[in-house]
Amino acid sequence: MTLSNPDAFRQKASPDTVAIRWLGHGVQLLDQRRLPLEEHWLTIEGAVGVAQAIRDMVVRGAPAIGISAAYGVALAARGAGEDDWRREVEASIDTLAESRPTAVNLFWALQRMGGVLRQCQSREDAVARLAEEAVAIHKEDLAANMAMADLAVEAMELDKPCAVLTHCNTGALATGGYGTALGVVRRLHEQKLLKQVYADETRPWLQGARLTAWELARDGIPVTLNADGAAAAILARGEVKWVIVGADRITANGDVANKIGTYGLAVLARHHKVKFMVVAPASTVDMSLESGKDIPIEERDGSELRQVGGITLAPEKAGVFNPVFDVTPANLIDMIVTERGVVRTPEMTGMHRLFD
Ligand code: MRU
């Protein structure tokens, strides 16, 4: 990544940010590692390539990972041989399942694709039906985001524009389009109810600085970037009324795994009497796990912390602890918004009411 070209930051006004395009013979992914300096699309024609792209963060964000994996399964059917097609697609599903452990949308999408695969009678049938299913998963995610934005804005009961703070990137880049938490921010802006959105930079991958600030600025939404460590001081000023974040997995008791730093934000929000909202589609809910303690938390390589922009800044001899998600306990969350409805002060009963 070079930081020397100011033209790279020139904004294009467009509300149509997309990160995933289905071509039929392949899937195109906007390489999120290179944003905002370059808008570079990768064309991938097989499941192994999709699994690699998910592992390497070409595509990231829970719903976008699920959608990409679904396309990966569709591509596996296209690439499979006439005789052994079913076994080959099943093997690809296993490969995709190993790409990242925390976002349950990946496993949800693979399970759904596996269900369709079991009904297919021939390779040709599988090629057609798996592609259709992947496109359906993609479209449904966009529709869920639109529905959640409406539900969330209604639940906020605002009588005047307010400032909000968000973490990581939960926008069009992280989903099938529009976004979860960032979809709510977009809807607030559309309804002239948004004064300002503060975007945590989100160390170490800088999803807030590189992706959220980019998405919002190109849509003309007033965004202020802050260092993660500035969140406490921002909340202390009293201007921010809501912290709005996404999720990678929500368990049956309402605990939420999301980008590292989310838990700390929830503690800060409670201390400063700021409301804390989680916005995520039903595909992020994992009712098979009782609590957040059961969620596998991904740890990534120490180089991601030691280095900034490819330059090593911390001593190689220093140990590194790099969990990329944390768990926010349900009792710090004011509401979880899904396309099925809102769970207020989440706990078992409220979750079961919507997700059984
Ligand atoms: O490591 P990432 O970039 O995949 O993490 C993304 C997040 O934690 C998002 O907040 C979450 O997936 C919700 S995206 C709508």
Side-chain angles (χ1 to χ4, degrees), residues 57 60-63 100 168 170 174-175 180 207 247-248 258-259 325:
M57 307 280 284
R60 31 64 51 202
R100 289 188 78 187
C168 196
T170 60
T175 63
T180 57
Q207 288 95 332
D248 288 83
N258 190 48
K259 180 51 55 196
F325 299 100

Side-chain angles (χ1 to χ4, degrees), residues 32 57 59-65 100 103 105 145 167-171 174-175 179-181 205 207 211 245-248 257-260 262 279-281 284 298 300 324-325:
Q32 299 192 31
M57 307 280 284
V59 61
R60 31 64 51 202
I65 290 171
R100 289 188 78 187
N105 310 58
N145 290 341
H167 192 64
C168 196
N169 172 267
T170 60
T175 63
T180 57
W205 264 84
Q207 288 95 332
L211 309 177
V245 298
D248 288 83
N258 190 48
K259 180 51 55 196
I260 191 77
T262 303
V279 188
T284 305
E298 177 182 9
R300 294 184 68 93
V324 297
F325 299 100

Side-chain angles (χ1 to χ4, degrees), residues 34-58:
R34 293 161 79 155
L35 288 173
L37 299 179
E38 274 178 90
E39 287 180 47
H40 181 79
W41 288 84
L42 296 175
T43 302
I44 301 172
E45 295 186 341
V48 171
V50 173
Q52 190 69 36
I54 293 171
R55 190 172 302 118
D56 293 348
M57 307 280 284
V58 169

